[in-house]
Amino acid sequence: MGLNCGIVGLPNVGKSTIFSAMTSAPAEAANYPFCTIEPNVGIVSVPDERLNKITDLIPTKKVIPAVVEFVDIAGLVKGASGGEGLGNRFLSHIRNVGVIAHVVRCFEDEDVVHVDNRIDPASDIETINIELALADLETVEKRKEKTVKSLRAGNKEAVKKLNAAVPLLDMLIDTLSEGKSARSIDFTPEQLELIYDLHLITLKKQLYVCNIDEAAIDCGNTYVDTVKKIAAEEGAEVVTICGKLEAEIAALESEEEKKEFMEASGLSESGMDTLIHAGYRMLGLRTFFTAGEDENRAWTFHNGDRAPQAAGVIHTDFEKGFIKAEVYHCNDLFELGSEQKVKEAGKLRIEGKEYLVQDGDIMHFRFNV
Ligand SMILES: Nc1nc2c(ncn2[C@@H]2O[C@H](COP(=O)(O)OP(=O)(O)O)[C@@H](O)[C@H]2O)c(=O)[nH]1
Ligand SMILES: [Mg+2]
């Protein structure tokens, strides 16, 4: 699975509005067996012009884009970690996501009640971040208890590892009980490995989504400025979306209508695309393609993956039985006009296990199982 994004935020900030706008044109689920299908989960195609350009030059029966999974995570209110609202039910959803999109209300509307009766992004952000930290605190405290018990039980081979973990857990407990995120700690790679299996929420990458009014599209507003300031301190990205407008755009039938409407509203890219691209960047995700007469398809891999790992994105057998890959870059195809010409120009290479896959590579794997 590539990008998996959980949408969090206080009630009535526009989470479900944004979620349904994004998932109004769901990807064909049959192509993505790894995706969970639940009412609050939506699978969205990743917009990528290159896939269309490839298909212009390599005709095929089926075009399959890469996908992003969005999860609308409800139930996060003040006290949620202690069982308020939907309580801990939101936790099971949020543990599995790669990126957290934290939606912040940056619009005024007397018809839409705010849980605290005022628009205050800084306070909203603090409330949510504290709840997430407290949820993690519970996880870490449980682990600490278990660790101390195992130490007493004297399981010798494990004792060394456990001893290394205790100070780390204590440090986390200190930080989280102050309402600060685990992200704020500078862990070494070894330390990260020790706590990896805790799936801490506040260790996940988080980006802020400012839900604004139409009027703020061009000039922004002071609420957005506040969010940007907080995000800058945390080193987080900010995406600005007009949820209401996105919902209206999503309801339009044709791509042309959507484009016209966006232009008229002063939007250069839909909020959905901006959010997806930000998520890709934050997770270091890249795209490679497979192309042939049966299907042209975009696949998501991690920056730094070698050829066998990329092959494993398609099928684990491809990774296990990897022999070699035929590779060329989509830009060579665009420049030269056909696969045959790419070959003639010597741009198609045979690469082995060590090859570092590049964004935009078109690959064909040879494997043996
Ligand atoms: N004025 C305005 N209202 C919005 C916007 N986004 C959402 N709303 C409204 O706010 C209310 C709550 O939105 P919803 O998406 O259900 O919030 P959630 O509780 O965070 O999922 C709904 O009545 C929406 O129509 C926006 O950008 N501007
Ligand atoms: Mg909702």
Side-chain angles (χ1 to χ4, degrees):
M1 177 71 209
L3 178 58
N4 178 317
C5 181
I7 304 174
V8 305
L10 285 176
N12 270 0
V13 297
K15 296 183 299 297
S16 299
T17 304
I18 291 170
F19 173 82
S20 51
M22 290 186 168
T23 54
S24 66
E28 206 181 320
N31 290 322
Y32 311 99
F34 46 79
C35 291
T36 23
I37 307 298
E38 285 176 54
N40 62 334
V41 178
I43 308 165
V44 184
S45 304
V46 177
D48 192 331
E49 261 307 304
R50 297 174 298 179
L51 187 58
N52 303 331
K53 277 168 86 178
I54 290 171
T55 304
D56 286 342
L57 298 168
I58 306 176
T60 190
K61 292 188 190 122
K62 212 167 167 190
V63 178
I64 308 180
V67 285
V68 170
E69 197 178 273
F70 281 103
V71 191
D72 183 3
I73 298 169
L76 207 44
V77 291
K78 196 171 195 159
S81 59
E84 289 285 327
L86 290 178
N88 281 333
R89 224 170 11 159
F90 78 91
L91 289 175
S92 57
H93 287 295
I94 203 173
R95 295 245 180 259
N96 298 319
V97 306
V99 165
I100 295 173
H102 183 159
V103 180
V104 186
R105 177 162 167 178
C106 295
F107 64 89
E108 289 172 4
D109 188 336
E110 281 177 9
D111 294 333
V112 181
V113 177
H114 184 284
V115 279
D116 295 328
N117 288 316
R118 67 194 149 93
I119 313 298
D120 185 347
S123 149
D124 287 5
I125 287 174
E126 191 180 24
T127 302
I128 293 293
N129 284 346
I130 286 177
E131 284 313 313
L132 297 177
L134 293 180
D136 277 350
L137 179 62
E138 205 180 310
T139 310
V140 177
E141 279 176 336
K142 270 191 200 140
R143 169 63 62 88
K144 168 99 190 279
E145 258 172 53
K146 227 173 108 190
T147 306
V148 170
K149 253 188 215 153
S150 320
L151 274 173
R152 275 198 222 114
N155 181 348
K156 265 184 197 158
E157 75 242 48
V159 160
K160 204 173 151 204
K161 201 174 158 199
L162 292 174
N163 269 329
V166 172
L168 192 59
L169 295 173
D170 283 335
M171 181 160 72
L172 273 166
I173 288 171
D174 283 348
T175 304
L176 294 167
S177 40
E178 283 174 34
K180 288 191 199 143
S181 70
R183 228 178 286 119
S184 68
I185 303 174
D186 233 346
F187 292 109
T188 65
E190 294 77 29
Q191 288 176 323
L192 279 177
E193 214 176 297
L194 283 172
I195 56 167
Y196 168 78
D197 62 341
L198 287 171
H199 300 291
L200 295 179
I201 301 165
T202 64
L203 204 51
K204 295 176 191 292
K205 305 228 164 163
Q206 176 168 257
L207 65 87
Y208 290 101
V209 178
C210 299
N211 189 14
I212 55 165
D213 261 331
E214 268 183 85
I217 288 175
D218 288 331
C219 49
N221 61 32
T222 53
Y223 304 130
V224 175
D225 296 340
T226 304
V227 178
K228 282 188 175 159
K229 202 171 148 232
I230 294 169
E233 280 160 18
E234 294 174 12
E237 290 206 37
V238 181
V239 172
T240 311
I241 288 185
C242 180
K244 218 170 159 186
L245 201 63
E246 292 290 330
E248 284 167 28
I249 294 171
L252 295 173
E253 294 273 322
S254 72
E255 285 304 315
E256 245 164 53
E257 273 178 289
K258 288 183 186 181
K259 224 172 159 182
E260 272 171 31
F261 191 93
M262 273 171 57
E263 270 167 24
S265 324
L267 292 174
S268 54
E269 187 181 46
S270 85
M272 175 182 95
D273 295 1
T274 315
L275 185 52
I276 290 174
H277 290 144
Y280 253 63
R281 256 197 322 275
M282 290 173 73
L283 289 186
L285 298 178
R286 303 284 185 270
T287 303
F288 75 86
F289 303 96
T290 50
E293 54 186 62
D294 286 332
E295 81 179 27
N296 288 350
R297 183 160 183 166
W299 304 88
T300 303
F301 69 102
H302 289 93
N303 189 23
D305 277 357
R306 294 183 191 275
Q309 288 164 291
V313 175
I314 301 176
H315 198 290
T316 45
D317 281 352
F318 279 35
E319 182 168 1
K320 276 187 234 149
F322 179 90
I323 300 170
K324 59 190 174 183
E326 289 170 14
V327 191
Y328 59 94
H329 198 270
C330 66
N331 288 342
D332 291 327
L333 177 70
F334 302 153
E335 201 175 296
L336 296 163
S338 76
E339 234 174 345
Q340 187 55 36
K341 295 227 170 83
V342 170
K343 275 184 203 164
E344 285 165 14
K347 298 278 186 182
L348 187 145
R349 303 159 341 251
I350 308 292
E351 299 282 4
K353 287 188 171 156
E354 293 303 314
Y355 177 65
L356 280 170
V357 181
Q358 302 297 308
D359 187 57
D361 273 349
I362 300 178
M363 309 192 69
H364 181 78
F365 296 105
R366 296 280 169 81
F367 66 99
N368 182 5
V369 280

